[in-house]
Amino acid sequence: MTATSRKNRAGFETTSRLLAQVVNEGLATARVKTSGNMHQEYLILTSHQESFENPERWVKAGLLPDTHYELRDGQVISLVRPGNLKPLISIGTFSMETEVLEPEVIFEHMRPWLLNVADESLLQEIGRELKNSSDNQEKWLEISECMERALNFDSSSIEWERAMVFGHPSHPYHRLCYAQVPLKPHSPNDLPGMLTPSIAFVSVLRIDMHLSGLFEETLAPLLRTLDIPNPSDDRLVVPCLVQQLPAIKTYFPSAVVVKTTKECADAQTSMRTLTIRPELGFPYHIKLSLACNITSALRTITPWSTMGGPVFSELLERFLPPDMWVFREIGSITGNQPDFNQAKHFSCILRDDLERKAQANDETLVLAAVLAQHPPETNTSYAEILYNLDDLQKKKNWFRKYTACLFKLTIPPLLDYGIALEAHGQNLVVRICRQTGDIKGFAVRDFGGIRLHVPTLQEYGVGLDAIPSGSAVLTNSLHNAWSKVHHSMLQNHIGFLLSALGLEQQGGWTIVREELANVLNPDENKRGLKLYDFFVADTMPFKCFLMMRMEGKYRDYVERELPNIVAMNSPRWKEILKTYQPRLHHA
C-alpha cells in the first residue's frame, strides 16, 4: 500500500464513522439520491433547516450496492453503519463540489449545523481530534504491513490483539490517541513505541497509595526476576508506563524511579494493558494508567476500578457459567488522595493471563472484536477466513453457533442475578479449540463497564460495601443493566459481526431473535419474557458519541432512540417504522 493510498484509506475509515454517527445522532438530515448511468446511490446530509432541493451546503457519500435503509417522508430513519458507505465523498455549496476524505475538513464544513450544540472552540478541538484519529489510523495501516499475515488457530492472543488495526467499529475517534497535560504531546510516530512500551518501576510512600487484593505478593516474583531491590518498609514499588511519569511526578511528589525496563511487554488493544513476555514467567497482565484520550475516554484508572476489581472477580467467578472464564483481577493499587482525579493517575491492576490455561485445554484465545474486522488488504472478515465461510448457509450456521454460545453464557447471569457484562467485542475473548475450531466458550475482562443490579444481588447475600460510593458499576435500575447489554452485546458485538458476514438483510437478526428466545424461554418464563420484550422492543437507545463529546460527558450519557435493529425484518418491523418518533435521553 502506497503512502497516498494509506492516507486515503485512513481518512475514509474515520470519515465514514463520522458521517454515520452524525446521521444516527440526528445532527443532520439524511436523504438518499440516485445518479449516474450505474445508478449509484448517495447519502446526502444537510442541515435540518435547509431545503433538500437547493441546500446552502451539503455532504455526499456513496452507498455500497444493496445497502438497506428505511425512509420516512424521504428521510433516512434507520441505523446507518460506517460499512454502508464507500469512498465517494464530497462536500458542496451552491457553487462548488469538492471530493474530500479528510474528516476534519468535512467536520469543519458541517460546523454551522452544530453551533446550537457546542461553541466554536470546542468544535475546533473536535476537528483536531478527528484528524488525530485519522493520522493514527494511517500509522496503524503502515504498522500492519509488518505484522504476521496468516493468523490462525495457533496464533497467540497478543497477535490477535494486534490484528485490531481499525479500532472501534463505529466511533469517529476509533484511533484517537491524544496525550493530555502534563504528558508530552504524541504523534503517530510514537505508536510503535507504545506497542512495545518501556516500564518504569517507581518507589512511592506507602501512605500515598491504596492497595486492594494481593498486589504486593503477586508482583514480587516479577520484581525479583528484573532485579529490582526491595524498598524500605515505608515504601512500595509500583510499575507504570514511562510516558505516564510526568503525571505521576505532578501528583505524587514522593515518587522516585528505581529502574526502567525495555522490551519486556507488549501492549494489548487498549494500549494501557500489557502482556508480559513469556520468558519472564509472569502469568499476569499489567493494566496501567495512561493520561491519553483513547477512543472516548481518558485512560487513567480510577479508584472505583482498582478497589472493585478483586471484589468483582470473586463475584463473577461465583455466578458466571463455567465456560465463561474470568480474567480475575488479583490485586491493584491506586493513589490515596481523596480527589480521585489525582489518584487515578498512578494506578496498576494485576489480572490473570489465561494463555497458559488455554494452552493446557488446547485452546486459542481470540479477541472477539477481531472476528468482525479484516486484514487491511482484503474486505473478508477474519471469521470468514478462519472458518472458510464462503457461502450464505455456512455463514448462517456458524453465526447461529456463535450467537447461541454467547447468549448462553451472558444472558442467564443477567436474568437470574442482575449481572450485566459489558459484552462488546473488546472485552470478550473467544475460546476456540485449536484442533477443530469449535467455540468452547468465552472469557470476560475489564470490569469498569459492567453493571450490577444491587437489589437482586442482595437477595443472594452479596455485599458490595468495599466499593466506594459513586461507582457507575452499581445500579438500582434493571433497565440500566439491560440497556448496557443491549448496547454492548447486541448493537455492538453481535451487530457488527452480523454486518461483517453480510447477514443484516439475509436473516441474521431472525437468528438473533430465535437464539434469544431459546435462552430466555419467553413463552413459559415471565421474567424471561420481560427481558426478551426489552431486547426486541420497537426502539433502542443509541449512544451519541459526538453529542456526549460536545456536552463534555463520558460516564454520563446522551442516547437517541432509533428503530431497534434486533427487530429488523420481524413481522412488526414496518409498523415500528411507521410509529417511530426520535427522542433524546440525557443523564
Side-chain angles (χ1 to χ4, degrees), residues 51 64 90 98 115 166 185 273-274 314 323 377 413 544 581 584:
S51 160
L64 286 172
S90 59
T98 305
L115 289 173
F166 297 104
T273 301
L274 309 182
E314 181 180 345
D323 285 335
E377 73 277 6
C544 298
Q581 294 294 331
L584 275 177

Side-chain angles (χ1 to χ4, degrees), residues 6-16 101-103 134 137:
R6 278 197 300 269
K7 182 176 180 60
N8 290 341
R9 176 68 178 276
F12 174 71
E13 290 293 333
T14 306
T15 290
S16 62
L101 289 173
E102 294 87 350
S134 177
Q137 177 67 85

Side-chain angles (χ1 to χ4, degrees), residues 200-211:
F201 290 86
V202 177
S203 170
V204 63
L205 284 172
R206 187 178 291 269
I207 60 172
D208 289 344
M209 308 301 289
H210 186 284
L211 289 129

Side-chain angles (χ1 to χ4, degrees), residues 199-206 209 211 215-216 219 223 228 231 235-241 245 248 255-259 286-288 332-334 346-349:
I199 304 175
F201 290 86
V202 177
S203 170
V204 63
L205 284 172
R206 187 178 291 269
M209 308 301 289
L211 289 129
F215 179 79
E216 288 183 273
L219 185 65
L223 299 183
I228 295 171
R235 298 183 77 87
L236 297 158
V237 171
V238 183
C240 71
L241 293 165
L245 284 172
I248 291 171
V256 178
V257 176
V258 176
K259 186 175 182 177
I286 301 181
K287 184 174 180 178
L288 301 168
S332 58
I333 192 167
T334 190
F346 194 14
S347 300
C348 173
I349 294 173

